[in-house]
Amino acid sequence: MELLGVIGNPIGHSLSPVMHSAAFKAVGRSALYLPFLVEADQLSQAIYGAQALGFTGLNITVPYKEKVLPYLTELTDEAEAVQSVNTIKFTEDRIIGHSTDGEGFMAAAEYELGYDFRGKTVLIMGAGGAAKAVTAALLNKQCQVYITNRTLERAEQLVHSLNRFGTQLEVVPLNSAALEPVMDEIEVVVNTTSVGMAQNLGQTPLAPSLLAPHQLVIDIIYNPEKTQLLKAAEQIGCRVQNGVGMLVWQAVKAWEFWWGITPPAEIMYQAVKASLS
Ligand code: ATR
């Protein structure tokens, strides 16, 4: 029996255990995937403990995706680029950190909408870890990316940390006057902020009047299934996508990293949707 799990704090809400367990059952893989609530001062013990116990791998979630870096022996290029790890693989003597968040984001839109991001112009709302992972993946697809964020300095820091992409990446202040001139060329709008989740359910991260029908609007929030932003975008005539796909596809990409095999994504979608409803 292989052992895997997800480490975070809080962890009770994580859908990773049901998603991975459903896929193990579907393909007949003898593996156990558990959620682990770990305190910050126990993080290194948790990682080394899992290694000592012979775990195959771990997922890492909020708030440890960056804090886990010192305990790893190496990083993949994807993790190195964003200095963030959501997937760990244990080998005989190594602890390898990888990030599947960016790949998962892109794969979800490719799978659900047949969308090809190559060369597109994208507006990202938010400048946290999720924004960074999505932005790095988009830049690798030669996208032009604009970042807007409540705290402008944080957006500037994000751009600075990915500065090898030069003018492919720019900051726009989060106000209608600054955004309006660029909205015409925007093909995809992505919300990576928490605006629209339970604590600010009816709010949108930008004024819906800025949206236009030709745009694809993606919210990486999956609970609620349809945020106020997506509802407003749909009314305008935009194509929309919620965060379930990114959640599923970052997990699909984790399997590819652990075992080099692709799990049944559809089974994972069903498991997530059943848990959410
Ligand atoms: P994650 O790693 O999941 O992306 P994070 O680092 O906490 O999470 O980032 C959350 C993002 O949501 C940030 O861009 C944050 O904006 P600030 O940098 O200004 O904090 C954004 N955010 C959270 N609450 C917000 C709100 N009420 N209005 C606008 N933006 C908000």
Side-chain angles (χ1 to χ4, degrees):
M1 168 82 68
E2 289 187 82
L3 296 173
L4 302 104
V6 57
I7 286 179
N9 189 1
I11 200 63
H13 68 286
S14 174
L15 295 173
S16 292
V18 295
M19 200 166 38
H20 286 287
S21 300
F24 293 150
K25 195 170 165 206
V27 303
R29 191 166 194 104
S30 174
L32 182 63
Y33 187 111
L34 295 171
F36 295 105
L37 177 69
V38 172
E39 298 299 334
D41 61 358
Q42 301 281 305
L43 186 58
S44 63
Q45 288 97 319
I47 302 297
Y48 298 137
Q51 181 187 36
L53 293 170
F55 272 52
T56 298
L58 287 170
N59 285 125
I60 307 295
T61 188
V62 177
Y64 299 133
K65 289 184 185 184
E66 287 155 21
K67 294 197 177 80
V68 79
L69 260 63
Y71 314 120
L72 309 175
T73 57
E74 63 189 83
L75 297 179
T76 62
D77 290 347
E78 290 83 354
E80 181 72 43
V82 293
Q83 292 292 300
S84 166
V85 162
N86 77 334
T87 306
I88 286 176
K89 178 163 75 178
F90 297 102
T91 69
E92 192 87 343
D93 54 355
R94 292 179 301 159
I95 309 176
I96 310 167
H98 182 43
S99 175
T100 68
D101 286 330
E103 272 186 292
F105 169 82
M106 308 258 288
E110 281 159 18
Y111 178 77
E112 291 180 26
L113 306 169
Y115 199 80
D116 182 2
F117 282 98
R118 191 166 296 277
K120 293 287 196 293
T121 302
V122 184
L123 174 69
I124 306 275
M125 291 175 277
K132 195 168 179 183
V134 169
T135 301
L138 291 170
L139 292 173
N140 277 320
K141 285 267 186 184
Q142 285 77 49
C143 292
Q144 172 74 39
V145 182
Y146 292 97
I147 310 276
T148 191
N149 192 49
R150 175 178 62 179
T151 311
L152 193 66
E153 304 85 73
R154 245 186 127 195
E156 282 162 354
Q157 280 164 15
L158 193 160
V159 168
H160 182 72
S161 71
L162 296 171
N163 65 359
R164 66 182 184 285
F165 292 97
T167 56
Q168 253 177 276
L169 187 54
E170 281 176 51
V171 173
V172 192
L174 181 54
N175 63 64
S176 296
L179 282 165
E180 238 161 45
V182 297
M183 286 313 283
D184 268 356
E185 56 171 308
I186 300 294
E187 297 167 281
V188 188
V189 175
V190 184
N191 176 43
T192 72
T193 77
S194 50
V195 180
M197 290 196 329
Q199 68 275 21
N200 37 34
L201 206 56
Q203 295 173 28
T204 58
L206 98 168
S209 57
L210 288 165
L211 299 173
H214 70 272
Q215 289 161 342
L216 165 63
V217 179
I218 302 177
D219 201 324
I220 71 164
I221 293 172
Y222 54 82
N223 193 9
E225 217 174 317
K226 207 168 271 178
T227 57
Q228 190 59 36
L229 174 71
L230 294 191
K231 286 181 190 166
E234 230 173 24
Q235 274 181 356
I236 288 163
C238 303
R239 274 200 292 177
V240 301
Q241 189 191 297
N242 72 8
V244 170
M246 180 171 173
L247 178 70
V248 166
W249 282 91
Q250 60 78 29
V252 168
K253 299 292 166 186
W255 275 54
E256 292 175 358
F257 181 60
W258 289 324
W259 299 299
I261 59 173
T262 303
E266 218 30 70
I267 299 279
M268 291 169 142
Y269 270 100
Q270 283 165 19
V272 169
K273 286 176 182 167
S275 298
L276 288 173
S277 62

